Amino acid sequence: LLKMDFLGLSTLTVLNDALALIEENHGVAIDLDAIPLDDAKTFAFFQRGDTVAIFQFESEGMREWMRKLRPTCLDDLIAMNALYRPGPMDLIPNYIDRKHGREKVEFPHAMLEPVLRKTYGIPVYQEQVMQMAQVMAGFSLGQADILRRSMGKKDQAKMDQQRVLFVKGAQERGVDEKTANEVFDLMAKFAGYGFNLAHAAAYSLVAYQTAYLKANYPAAFLAAAMTNEMGDTKKLSVVIEEARRMGLELLPPCINRSQAHFTVEEGKIRFGLGAVKGVGLGAIEALVAARAQHGPFTTLFGLTRELDLRIVGKKALESLARVGALDDLEGHRAQLVEAIDPAVQEAQRFQDEKLRNQMNMFGDGSGSPGTGLEPNLPIVDPWPRARLLKEERELIGVYVSGHPLDAYRPEATAFATARLGDRDAFGTPQDEAAHDGRNGHRNGYGPQKPVHAVCGIITDVQRRTTRTGKPIAFATIEDFTGQGELVCFASVLDKVQNYLKVDEIVLARGEVELRGGSVKVLTRDVIPMWKVREQLVRAIVLRIEAGRVELQALEKLRELCDANRGRCRLYFDVLDPDLPEGRQRIRSRTYVVDPTPELMQGVTRLFGRDNVLIEGEA
């Protein structure tokens, strides 16, 4: 019987979805088989290591090699695809140095130059081993494949037989016995882990097509990639971070605009309803169908009356309300969540009466189903911003309408020495085996690791015990750009454990290392941001443009300063292109202030988030 092995690639679905979004939003039908294979924007992405969500090239290690290789053609991508695996990985530095002329390109024999020219004299592929046997020893391709298999399986008896045939064939072509044996040994070394060229080329072509769409149609491509990762919150958050890093705006899920999948609206990415936990595909299809039939919804009661509540249940509606997908409707999120039960009950009565054809023509004005009036929304206080963001993260896995760190953005800018998403700021990834806490340094710390301060919100805490019985804690920390991990050994755990709590916003200092593509901070200290603001801030700086400050804004600033007197100096950086340095700093002689949340929020509203700066002691 014929055995067939089918390999499914989710990347092909991403490409297909991206092409549909491109045609829908740009009116361009792209044939991936016809795209140019020398697109400068595409290779620029590879050269910078901007390969998040790029098939086969998205790991942190591969991204680092891409930055060093600076590929210029498809052959470079094919070679890296083959080399980036155990064994051949040792040859990557040689390949890169030979490409850039730092190492001389040498060939085992002049007659093998046509076979090894594209890989700078280094045998990389199984097909090259077969071609070397064909060119130097006159093997047929069938014989060469037998040789390759015997080398790959390290079948010594067959290899000995093949060596005799290879040396004899090489001598008949003018190659001396010593050189023939050396080439055979070289082939045996590479055949043991050589990769299949056809496989590497096919995968690299798909990778190039993926990068081409990302480089030229980023919103459509990343929307398709997000749709593909909707079932994996961690992977979805990585793609979302990449979209934000590229400057793409993400629009929240919306009952009146979102589809099940992520879509593109005027160059912006709209969240898909399928990304919301607790909302199944059947419920989404019912919502979209009701919207298509009845138009945009304006009230919760109007929405529930038109839905099949056997498909769209209370749990789904509550999830949509909590995450902000119902923000188009009348009322705020707290009201909408509280109104789910009465809205569903009212809709069920409405639908039952409609089904029995017993709708009242003359209601009593109480808002019952027969009157056409709707009940009032419950009177409850709006959720604070922290609650809104927490609900978004819980139901989508990411913050949509902001970030908890926004309240401390000036402090984060002033005191953090690196951002978690900026891997380059932390140096070169360390070898995992050498930095696992067992390298001879007490508690895993070592003087060779750079020390950094990072600001972020703690999203998860795990407490464990080491093999020696000492306590250790691992905390996931997230800033505006990405995630990292705080590793707290016993020597610091007693001092910081009160601040290792989910939703705590902190400044963490420690030795930083990159392992497996993630940032790990071997923590020396953890300080909550409220304490940073209280203890480390020495001055607040407001940037203003000369001649463009309204008197009303200054009056409101005066009120804020009067209400929040303290010990911090207040400066104004007046921006004026006519000044020698483009600005002049003026110190307030009237006020010293306390950087309370009220003051910081107030000056941010008055002057803009990017114009409020902090100076202090790190």
Side-chain angles (χ1 to χ4, degrees), residues 138-188:
F139 279 32
S140 68
L141 287 178
Q143 291 174 307
D145 192 44
I146 293 172
L147 170 63
R148 177 194 63 79
R149 279 185 286 169
S150 64
M151 287 179 168
K153 294 179 180 179
K154 295 181 173 55
D155 187 328
Q156 194 59 48
K158 288 187 177 180
M159 285 175 62
D160 290 342
Q161 296 173 3
Q162 294 296 322
R163 182 187 292 271
V164 172
L165 296 174
F166 181 87
V167 172
K168 179 181 178 183
Q171 287 178 315
E172 291 174 356
R173 285 158 180 76
V175 180
D176 63 84
E177 182 178 355
K178 180 175 179 296
T179 301
N181 276 298
E182 289 175 351
V183 171
F184 187 90
D185 291 335
L186 180 69
M187 291 164 57

Side-chain angles (χ1 to χ4, degrees), residues 60-61 64 67-68 423 426-432 435 513-517:
E60 188 64 34
E64 182 66 25
R67 287 189 279 266
K68 293 178 179 178
R423 302 293 192 261
F426 298 106
T428 306
Q430 288 90 359
D431 175 62
E432 292 195 28
H435 298 278
E513 60 182 35
L514 295 178
R515 288 197 291 170

